[in-house]
Amino acid sequence: MTDTDRTVSGASIRLDGVVKQYRGQTKPAVQKIDLEIEAGHIVAFVGPSGCGKTTTLKMINRLIEPTEGRLFIGDRDVTGEDPDKLRQSIGYVIQAGGLFPHWSVQKNIGAIPRVLGWDKKRIAERTEYLLDLVGLDADTFRDRLPKDMSGGQQQRVGVARALAADPPVLLMDEPFSAVDPITRVRLQDSLIAIQHEVAKTIVIVTHDFEEATKLGDKVLILSEGGKIEQYATPEEILAKPANAFVEEFIGSGATLAHLTLSRVKDVEHEPVVTARVGDSSQEVIGRARAAGVTWIVVVDEHGKPRSWPSLDEVATNDTVSDYIDPRLPVVAPSSTLNDALDVMLAASQGGVVVTDGRGVVTGSLTIKTVMSVVRGQLDEAREGDGHVSYTQHAEGSAT
């Protein structure tokens, strides 16, 4: 998830003997936790309900005050800092974005910068940059209210708002659980693309082990009472579960999680022929036939996909149609092969369009390519643990 040549703008996080004991409870909600998170990394907290993952996350920005222990952001001991000032220096994203409903997108994003005394010009420039970063057109969205946006768009604004004051740390509490599965995949990919650019330190709470292995440079598995059962890379956890609890927790999801370790960027893409609205249909068909393909991708002025009609569909008009396909199957290079398969099946298509971090078309991926890799991984997984996964069912559905 990290590139060695990028500039890390995140700060390390250290929890030193942190405990949370609620009054009147016999057992601590979080027993003594010692944890170090490297600057610029994404760490996913995962575990069963009641394991203390959200409590631990909220102790980092002191939305919940620890009973014992110390908290460090970089070299700063923030245990005794003013909690309001601390939270102004830490981004925080919750389900459905948590936006102020009667504020415009621009006003929502500028909330913390205004508290910090930024001038209007600086806030406007930062808002425009961040909307572009999260894949939303500033002219289209800056004046919109949350109610006029989809759940996925609101969540993107929530991420932009959390990044507004350029904090070194971003905390995310089940940020993608309230959206549909396809939007969730796109938001996960968007977060990975954003992280490649900004290199913050991100802590994300999720109930989904597959999401944890996709997003996390490391995964923290907690059991009841905030006990750390394993803290390692996804590859290490899948290859060497630390104990019986971890093995049981990842359980039958382990085979599926193995598929999250293979990304779209790791397999060969098919080239695509692109066209713009208004282009000559015959010229486009000629280019496509010369390339040996039977369909094209219609893109906008920024190279982002609008639709992918067959050549027969293109031939019905003199020029390329302005139709926008709302179910266009799209994945990013950071998408897992399981994501790609899900998107294909949801759209009832035999392939997907591949776009880069900014949503520009770079190629396509066919179900044949994905399934050949999936078959190999399933064979290995079956030999290793005998689990039958969702993907076997998907393979049957796709043929």
Side-chain angles (χ1 to χ4, degrees):
M1 242 54 58
T2 56
D3 291 325
T4 54
D5 58 350
R6 66 181 182 161
T7 301
V8 173
S9 64
S12 61
I13 301 171
R14 180 158 63 92
L15 281 67
D16 183 6
V18 170
V19 174
K20 182 58 187 178
Q21 175 78 54
Y22 287 106
R23 196 172 298 170
Q25 299 293 317
T26 55
K27 293 182 179 179
V30 174
Q31 57 183 283
K32 191 174 181 180
I33 277 191
D34 294 300
L35 178 68
E36 291 196 26
I37 297 172
E38 289 183 55
H41 276 211
I42 299 179
V43 170
F45 289 3
V46 69
S49 296
C51 71
K53 52 188 184 288
T54 293
T55 300
T56 303
L57 180 87
K58 289 182 176 180
M59 285 195 289
I60 294 173
N61 68 353
R62 291 179 47 217
L63 274 172
I64 293 176
E65 291 288 357
T67 309
E68 296 176 24
R70 295 194 299 166
L71 301 162
F72 295 84
I73 305 292
D75 296 327
R76 286 164 49 213
D77 183 344
V78 300
T79 317
E81 285 191 8
D82 179 294
D84 289 333
K85 287 188 176 178
L86 173 64
R87 286 193 280 275
Q88 289 168 14
S89 68
I90 294 177
Y92 187 53
V93 183
I94 60 175
Q95 287 183 30
L99 303 177
F100 297 109
H102 303 301
W103 285 9
S104 68
V105 164
Q106 185 168 239
K107 194 171 180 183
N108 264 286
I109 292 174
I112 294 298
R114 282 195 302 277
V115 171
L116 297 175
W118 291 23
D119 62 49
K120 288 184 178 179
K121 181 173 182 290
R122 187 181 177 192
I123 292 174
E125 289 172 349
R126 183 67 176 166
T127 298
E128 187 151 340
Y129 165 74
L130 288 169
L131 285 173
D132 178 60
L133 185 68
V134 300
L136 296 174
D137 179 71
D139 291 338
T140 303
F141 287 96
R142 71 162 64 88
D143 295 321
R144 280 198 189 173
L145 294 174
K147 67 180 179 65
D148 299 321
M149 297 185 292
S150 69
Q153 289 166 346
Q154 289 182 40
Q155 201 64 47
R156 290 173 187 270
V157 174
V159 172
R161 184 179 66 178
L163 292 170
D166 202 20
V169 170
L170 186 62
L171 306 180
M172 309 183 79
D173 189 5
E174 298 272 12
F176 308 139
S177 62
V179 295
D180 66 87
I182 300 305
T183 301
R184 188 176 191 181
V185 168
R186 292 181 179 177
L187 288 171
Q188 290 167 349
D189 291 329
S190 179
L191 178 64
I192 292 169
I194 290 167
Q195 175 67 347
H196 276 302
E197 184 159 332
V198 300
K200 301 298 181 184
T201 305
I202 300 176
V203 182
I204 182 167
V205 164
T206 176
H207 65 274
D208 184 342
F209 183 64
E210 183 187 347
E211 180 169 76
T213 58
K214 177 180 177 179
L215 295 176
D217 295 297
K218 282 189 172 181
V219 176
L220 178 74
I221 299 179
L222 297 170
S223 60
E224 187 179 356
K227 181 185 176 187
I228 296 176
E229 297 292 348
Q230 191 164 6
Y231 180 45
T233 64
E235 294 83 356
E236 187 179 341
I237 290 172
L238 289 165
K240 297 177 182 177
N243 52 41
F245 176 89
V246 174
E247 196 164 1
E248 185 177 350
F249 177 74
I250 63 178
S252 59
T255 300
L256 186 59
H258 274 287
L259 301 181
T260 70
L261 301 181
S262 292
R263 308 283 173 143
V264 168
K265 65 185 177 185
D266 299 328
V267 298
E268 188 175 351
H269 300 168
E270 305 285 337
V272 296
V273 171
T274 61
R276 297 275 186 90
V277 174
D279 285 354
S280 162
S281 294
Q282 288 307 310
E283 185 273 331
V284 171
I285 290 170
R287 284 195 290 119
R289 285 181 175 154
V293 297
T294 58
W295 52 273
I296 64 164
V297 178
V298 181
V299 298
D300 65 14
E301 65 273 20
H302 304 297
K304 297 180 180 180
R306 296 170 58 94
S307 61
W308 64 340
S310 68
L311 298 189
D312 288 341
E313 290 171 319
V314 174
T316 60
N317 295 296
D318 292 335
T319 59
V320 174
S321 164
D322 62 358
Y323 172 68
I324 297 177
D325 185 352
R327 297 186 67 210
L328 184 68
V330 178
V331 295
S334 59
S335 296
T336 68
L337 293 190
N338 191 59
D339 291 339
L341 193 59
D342 274 346
V343 170
M344 290 180 202
L345 294 175
S348 300
Q349 298 283 359
V352 289
V353 176
V354 180
T355 60
D356 64 15
R358 295 288 183 172
V360 176
V361 173
T362 59
S364 67
L365 189 63
T366 65
I367 198 165
K368 183 178 178 182
T369 300
V370 174
M371 292 313 303
S372 65
V373 177
V374 167
R375 284 190 192 99
Q377 293 193 336
L378 282 172
D379 288 343
E380 289 179 15
R382 287 190 197 107
E383 289 173 12
D385 60 21
H387 289 309
V388 177
S389 80
Y390 152 83
T391 317
Q392 285 173 278
H393 170 71
E395 183 175 347
S397 301
T399 55

